[in-house]
Structures are given as structure tokens and as C-alpha cells.
Amino acid sequence: MPNNKKLLTRRHAIAALGIGALSLRAAPASAKTTLGDDGIYHMDWYLESFLDVSEDLAGATAKGKRFAIMWGLKGCSACKRMHEVHMQDPKIEGYIRDNFEILHLNHIGAREVTDFDGRKRSEKAFGETYGIRFTPTIQFFPEKADGLAALSGQAREVARMPGLLEPNEFLAMFRYVREKGYESSPFPEWLKRQA
């Protein structure tokens, strides 16, 4: 009987070590990009959401992350490049994954999204409300939803990436938001100071 207890204890220890090893985060380069049924690219770590942006923002903040909405479109060559080049760079992908919750929406999608003011709209109508004209576009929001319901459209954002920047500037835009550079200057001025 005492040997059984030792055996169980060893098995538990081995299992715990195995679980601990599994909990170590895989290298960012192992992130998987897939082309969804909707024709847009997805990373395996993008936010799974009930599409209530107030809840998504609160959830991101609770995790110590920032909330962003990324817009994609079937057949968008820049979206493809962003996912196959930018998001496969471990430095870029790792920084974004560690510091942001990304909600990926379809520019012409029909899923229902609940806005900060409680209004429900299709993805397409939601994007029109914010003046999303092309893809990829990434909207960055403040850390809290306080006061956002009283604002409209782009006034709710702290920053926006309209189109695909080159990899270094792409990463810099995420750093700009994470470091709250928008509180002191527009992105181009902030970027010049970083050089």
C-alpha cells in the first residue's frame, strides 16, 4: 500500500510537470494563420467574442491588454500580406498577442455587433458607422468604455491604422497605443521621436 501512495504521488508530480510544461507559452512564430469560411484571415489567438464591444473592451482591460478591432475583407491582398508577413514575424505577432485583444470583423459581414451605445448592427453597418472605408483598418480604443456611448463613430477611438503599414511602422502603431503615445502627439510625430 505505501508503494501505491508513492506511485500515485510520482504520477501526480509527473502530471503536474507535464501540465506546467504545457502552460509555457509556445514561441510566437507558431501562431497559425487560417483562411476562414468567410474568406478572411484569422490568427488562432484572435478574440472569440459575443460581439458586444463594451464587454470585449472590459475583458481586454481586465487582462491588462488593450482592445482593437481589425477589419478584413475576402480577397484583400493587403490583409493576406499582413497575416502572411507581418503576423508571422515573432517580434510583431508576440507583441500584439501579449498586449492586445483583437476582434476581427468582416467589412461586409452580417453578424450582429453591439456597439458601445447598446445599438445592434450588422458588421457592415457597424463599420459604416465608424467610417471604415477599406481593409485592413485597425481601430484602437481607450482602456475603459466610460463616456464612449455619448460619442459617435471615430470619436470613440484613440487611434486608427487605415491601411497596411510596413512591418516596423505596423509594430510601432501598436506600441504607440500600448504606451499611450496618443495622449501627447499624433502617430507620425511620436514615430519621429522614436527614431
Side-chain angles (χ1 to χ4, degrees), residues 3-16:
N3 285 343
N4 285 343
K5 285 185 180 179
K6 286 181 184 176
L7 187 58
L8 287 176
T9 304
R10 281 189 206 135
R11 283 186 183 158
H12 284 97
I14 291 169

Side-chain angles (χ1 to χ4, degrees), residues 31-77:
K32 186 176 176 189
T33 301
T34 57
L35 185 60
D37 293 339
D38 54 5
I40 62 175
Y41 291 86
H42 301 273
M43 298 298 289
D44 58 4
W45 52 267
Y46 282 167
L47 181 62
E48 291 290 326
S49 171
F50 290 112
L51 303 179
D52 182 322
V53 294
S54 291
E55 288 180 5
D56 293 339
L57 188 150
T61 301
K63 293 178 184 175
K65 296 184 177 189
R66 298 299 299 267
F67 175 64
I69 297 176
M70 178 185 293
W71 291 90
L73 180 66
K74 182 178 182 177
C76 167
S77 60

Side-chain angles (χ1 to χ4, degrees), residues 14-28 30 97-98:
I14 291 169
L17 288 172
I19 290 168
L22 288 174
S23 70
L24 293 175
R25 194 167 143 215
S30 68
R97 182 197 301 206
D98 290 346

